[in-house]
Amino acid sequence: MSNSVVVCTWERGRAGVPAGAEETLTLARKLAASAGLELNWLVAGPAPDRALEIAGKYGVAHLDRIEDAKLADFQPDVCVEALAQYSKQHAPKLMVIPQTFNARLVAPRLAARAGAGIVMNALKLEVEGSAVKVTASAYGGDTRVVYEVTGAESCVVGVLADMLLAEAPEGGASAPAVRQVSVDLGAVAERVRVIQKAHFEGPRLEEAQIIVAGGMGLGQKENYHLIEDLARTLGGMAAASRPVVENGWVDSSRQVGLTGKITRPVLYIGAGISGASQHMVGCSAAKTIVAVNKDPDAAVFRYARYGIVGDCLEILPELIRAVKAQ
């Protein structure tokens, strides 16, 4: 067993950088520094152009690369096999993965292959002796739970990177060594065949800087246009709570929350939204939250920097007029 913590990524996100990579490196760096572990970053498949620069910024000792034609596009069985072979070769104490949809397919199977413990939804990591303590979000974000992983020599951890901030240390830059890791993926056959990939056009809610979201306080589907009007006026995107989607007012691509999109806009306006924890998981990382609700005790006001107590059907038209008047 090596004395290392390894951040594992295989996807390419904005500007080629895997979603959540820097936030996860931030978390792993703090753990490595406090527990005396070596911090490494494993990139399976095509690496971001700035991989070495980013690795150095977060104090990574080794940038490990697995390059294979089968890793050009995400394939769960191939990815699990590549990471399992890496784990067998390097035996890290922790393999830390930014928790995306695809990560949920890979992390538990990787842990089973490596004989490792597994914890998902992680927000904080600690090592005490031989035990790994993981603080994780639980019950749809309602609470935090601390898991103590004992008895396993290694642990795989899925990190809720959307709820963390990327913080590079001042003066902590390193000069990572690049290691090419050889794996044999020749015998791996993907068991699930993708007949047709989902195709999305236009801007993505997860990348929007301004979001206006509507909840059941709108009363009926015909009033959702107020959300779209305000979003358009502000140059943002319209979104919705889960009940609005389930009632068929808008499609699921607009849903914010634990079972929808996790967003981090500069401005999030929630109108007629109660503020259930499952929804707030998807927007609590917004820089500024503005809430409009006629119930002064609505939970959403606990998260909001600015709150308006009133009927959103009266407030929204006034906001649209005010913005247009600017």
Side-chain angles (χ1 to χ4, degrees), residues 6-9 40-44 64-66 83 86 95 181:
V6 181
V7 173
C8 306
T9 64
N40 298 324
W41 181 13
L42 168 64
V43 179
D64 293 335
R65 299 285 318 281
I66 300 178
L83 269 60
Y86 174 88
M95 298 182 78
V181 180

Side-chain angles (χ1 to χ4, degrees), residues 52-297:
L52 200 56
E53 174 195 338
I54 294 170
K57 189 167 70 171
Y58 290 92
V60 168
H62 295 97
L63 175 62
D64 293 335
R65 299 285 318 281
I66 300 178
E67 296 182 87
D68 189 288
K70 285 191 171 182
L71 291 167
D73 295 311
F74 176 69
Q75 302 182 80
D77 290 323
V78 172
C79 190
V80 169
E81 180 64 28
L83 269 60
Q85 290 188 32
Y86 174 88
S87 175
K88 188 174 182 179
Q89 293 177 36
H90 294 271
K93 186 172 185 62
L94 283 142
M95 298 182 78
V96 188
I97 302 172
Q99 192 166 308
T100 61
F101 178 85
N102 290 339
R104 290 180 180 275
L105 301 177
V106 170
R109 295 164 61 190
L110 171 62
R113 289 282 303 276
I118 172 73
V119 180
M120 302 298 284
N121 302 324
L123 296 166
K124 182 180 178 183
L125 301 173
E126 299 170 275
V127 172
E128 289 188 0
S130 60
V132 177
K133 294 177 69 174
V134 182
T135 302
S137 175
Y139 295 105
D142 279 345
T143 189
R144 301 285 186 268
V145 61
V146 179
Y147 297 101
E148 187 169 311
V149 182
T150 60
E153 292 190 350
S154 61
C155 188
V156 176
V157 179
V159 174
L160 289 177
D162 285 320
M163 299 183 69
L164 303 175
L165 295 175
E167 299 173 321
E170 292 184 5
S174 62
V178 178
R179 298 189 299 199
Q180 296 293 334
V181 180
S182 297
V183 298
D184 181 5
L185 304 177
V188 184
E190 203 65 28
R191 290 171 292 175
V192 176
R193 185 165 61 93
V194 177
I195 299 173
Q196 183 176 4
K197 290 184 177 180
H199 179 67
F200 301 98
E201 294 183 343
R204 301 173 69 234
L205 199 57
E206 301 95 313
E207 298 175 354
Q209 295 299 297
I210 298 174
I211 293 175
V212 182
M216 293 305 290
L218 291 167
Q220 57 186 346
K221 179 179 181 179
E222 287 69 23
N223 293 328
Y224 187 77
H225 75 89
L226 292 171
I227 298 296
E228 296 174 317
D229 291 348
L230 181 56
R232 190 182 309 110
T233 305
L234 289 169
M237 292 186 67
S241 65
R242 178 175 172 176
V244 166
V245 173
E246 290 183 336
N247 278 281
W249 296 5
V250 295
D251 67 74
S252 59
S253 68
R254 299 292 180 182
Q255 183 180 328
V256 170
L258 190 64
T259 54
K261 308 296 184 186
I262 305 296
T263 66
R264 304 181 68 171
V266 174
L267 173 63
Y268 188 92
I269 300 177
I273 290 176
S274 64
S277 59
Q278 292 87 346
H279 178 80
M280 299 312 297
V281 166
C283 63
S284 58
K287 189 171 182 179
T288 300
I289 295 177
V290 178
V292 182
N293 199 298
K294 61 184 177 184
D295 179 3
D297 296 323

